[in-house]
C-alpha cells in the first residue's frame, strides 16, 4: 500500500489546490490511461449489453464451442452462451462488487481510523489492536470460509468483502488523523467549544480526503481480485450469474482443448481493470502529495 499522504492546513482558496491536483493527475500519462481503461470497461459492461443483446440465461446446444467470428465475435462457451455477452454480463458483477465493496471498506475504515486517531489513549490502543488482529487473518481465508458456509449472492459478496477489507484504510486514516488533530485550526475549534464530532467532520475528514480517495482505488482493485479468486474456486455467485473469475474457472479445462477464447478475454479483463485501478491510485497519490508539488 502507498505511504500515508501528508496534508497541509486549509488555504484561502481550496479550489486552487484541487485544480493543481487535477493538472498533476492529467500530466501522469499512465494514470490517465488507467482511468480511460476503467471508463471503457464500465461502458462495455453496462452500456454494451444494450447495443449487443444476448441470452445469458438459457442454453443453446446447437451453438456450443463456436470459434470467434460471424454472429459471435468472441465465440460461444460449452452451453452456447455468447462469450462477448458473457464477458459483459460477468463484468457487471465483478465491477459492481469491486466498486461497492471498495467504497464500503473505505467508509468503515475511515470512520474507525478517524475515531481511533482522534480519541487516542486507551481507546486508540484497543481499536488498533482489533485492527492488528484482523490483519493477521488473510481476507481471502475469511471469504473462503464464509462462501463455503453459505451461497453468496452479489449483495452478500459486497458485504463480506467490505467487512474484511476495511482494516488497511483504517490504519492509513488513523495515521493521517494523528498528524491533523494537533493543528491550530483543530485546537481553535476545541477551545471555542466545538465538539469532537464537529472537529472530525469539519477538519479531520475533509483534510484526509486525499488519503481516503487513494485508499478507495486500491480497495476496489483488491476487491475485484478477491472476487475473481473466490469465483475461480467455484465459491462465488452461482449460475446463471457469473463473473470474470467464474468464467476463468469454467473455461480452464476447455483451454487445454484449444478453446482459448473461453479463458483469454476474462483473464485480460481482470488484469487490465486491476492494473488500471492501481495506476489511477498511483496517479491520485502523486497528485495529492504536497511534497511533490513545485
Amino acid at each position: 500500500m502507498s505511504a500515508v499522504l501528508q496534508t497541509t492546513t486549509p488555504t484561502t482558496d481550496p479550489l486552487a489546490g484541487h485544480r493543481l491536483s487535477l493538472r498533476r493527475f492529467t500530466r501522469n500519462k499512465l494514470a490517465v490511461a488507467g482511468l480511460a481503461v476503467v471508463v471503457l470497461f464500465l461502458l462495455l459492461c453496462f452500456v454494451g449489453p444494450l447495443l449487443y443483446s444476448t441470452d445469458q440465461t438459457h442454453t443453446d446446444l446447437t451453438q456450443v464451442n463456436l470459434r470467434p467470428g460471424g454472429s459471435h465475435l468472441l465465440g460461444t462457451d460449452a452451453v452456447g452462451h455468447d462469450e462477448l455477452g458473457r464477458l459483459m454480463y460477468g463484468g457487471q458483477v465483478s465491477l459492481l462488487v469491486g466498486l461497492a465493496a471498495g467504497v464500503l471498506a473505505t467508509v468503515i475504515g475511515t470512520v474507525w481510523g478517524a475515531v481511533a486517531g482522534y480519541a487516542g489513549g486507551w481507546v486508540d490502543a484497543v481499536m488498533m489492536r482489533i485492527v492488528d488482529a484482523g490483519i493477521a487473518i488473510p481476507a481471502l481465508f475469511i471469504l473462503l470460509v464464509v462462501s463455503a458456509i453459505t451461497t453468496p449472492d452479489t449483495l452478500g459478496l459486497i458485504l463480506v468483502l467490505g467487512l474484511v477489507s476495511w482494516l488497511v484504510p483504517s490504519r492509513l486514516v488513523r495515521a493521517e488523523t494523528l498528524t491533523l488533530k494537533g493543528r491550530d485550526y483543530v485546537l481553535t475549534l476545541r477551545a471555542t467549544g466545538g465538539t469532537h464530532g464537529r472537529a472530525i467532520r469539519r477538519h479531520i475528514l475533509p483534510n484526509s480526503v486525499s488519503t481516503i480517495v487513494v485508499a478507495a482505488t486500491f480497495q476496489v482493485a483488491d476487491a475485484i481480485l478477491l472476487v475473481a479468486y473466490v469465483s475461480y474456486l467455484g465459491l462465488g455467485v452461482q449460475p446463471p450469474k457469473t463473473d470474470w473469475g467464474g468464467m476463468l474457472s469454467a473455461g480452464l479445462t476447455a483451454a487445454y482443448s484449444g478453446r482459448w477464447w473461453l479463458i483469454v478475454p476474462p483473464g485480460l479483463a481482470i488484469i487490465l481493470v486491476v492494473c488500471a485501478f492501481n495506476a489511477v491510485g498511483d496517479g491520485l497519490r502523486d497528485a495529492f502529495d504536497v511534497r511533490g508539488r513545485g
Side-chain angles (χ1 to χ4, degrees):
M1 293 295 298
S2 303
V4 177
L5 305 179
Q6 302 297 319
T7 309
T8 56
T9 57
T11 62
T12 56
D13 185 8
L15 291 179
H18 294 314
R19 288 193 294 267
L20 177 59
S21 296
L22 180 60
R23 285 197 300 270
R24 288 172 56 82
F25 181 83
T26 55
R27 287 200 297 266
N28 189 325
K29 295 181 180 179
L30 185 60
V32 172
L35 181 61
V37 170
V38 171
V39 173
L40 178 63
F41 271 96
L42 288 173
L43 292 175
L44 173 68
C45 296
F46 291 95
V47 180
L50 302 177
L51 305 176
Y52 187 81
S53 179
T54 60
D55 185 355
Q56 296 296 321
T57 303
H58 302 93
T59 61
D60 185 355
L61 299 182
T62 65
Q63 300 290 316
V64 298
N65 296 325
L66 296 180
R67 298 185 67 84
S71 59
H72 301 287
L73 299 180
L74 289 180
T76 62
D77 63 12
V79 294
H81 290 146
D82 182 271
E83 189 70 3
L84 178 56
R86 200 74 173 160
L87 187 71
M88 298 176 184
Y89 187 62
Q92 291 179 4
V93 176
S94 293
L95 291 172
L96 178 61
V97 171
L99 288 167
V103 171
L104 177 60
T106 304
V107 170
I108 296 174
T110 296
V111 174
W112 189 278
V115 171
Y118 187 83
W122 68 267
V123 175
D124 180 35
V126 171
M127 293 179 72
M128 295 316 296
R129 294 301 75 75
I130 294 174
V131 171
D132 292 339
I135 290 178
I137 305 174
L140 181 59
F141 173 77
I142 298 175
L143 192 56
L144 288 175
V145 171
V146 173
S147 298
I149 296 173
T150 181
T151 302
D153 55 9
T154 302
L155 178 59
L157 281 175
I158 292 172
L159 292 176
V160 173
L161 282 171
L163 292 175
V164 302
S165 303
W166 60 271
L167 302 168
V168 172
S170 71
R171 298 185 73 172
L172 294 175
V173 175
R174 172 193 176 259
E176 190 74 7
T177 302
L178 290 174
T179 67
L180 291 171
K181 71 176 185 178
R183 300 290 174 88
D184 291 341
Y185 47 86
V186 177
L187 297 176
T188 300
L189 176 64
R190 294 292 299 125
T192 56
T195 62
H196 296 303
R198 181 177 175 81
I200 292 175
R201 293 192 305 270
R202 184 74 179 269
H203 293 302
I204 302 298
L205 293 181
N207 283 281
S208 301
V209 65
S210 58
T211 299
I212 295 169
V213 170
V214 173
T217 59
F218 289 115
Q219 288 304 309
V220 171
D222 290 344
I224 292 174
L225 277 178
L226 283 172
V227 173
Y229 293 155
V230 174
S231 297
Y232 181 79
L233 296 175
L235 298 174
V237 293
Q238 300 302 305
K241 290 186 177 181
T242 190
D243 57 58
W244 289 335
M247 292 177 67
L248 278 177
S249 179
L252 183 61
T253 56
Y256 293 109
S257 302
R259 295 192 288 273
W260 55 267
W261 60 90
L262 298 181
I263 192 170
V264 171
L268 284 177
I270 294 172
I271 293 172
L272 287 174
V273 169
V274 170
C275 289
F277 272 109
N278 284 327
V280 171
D282 287 336
L284 289 172
R285 177 200 60 197
D286 294 340
F288 284 124
D289 192 351
V290 298
R291 292 169 299 183
R293 293 181 182 176

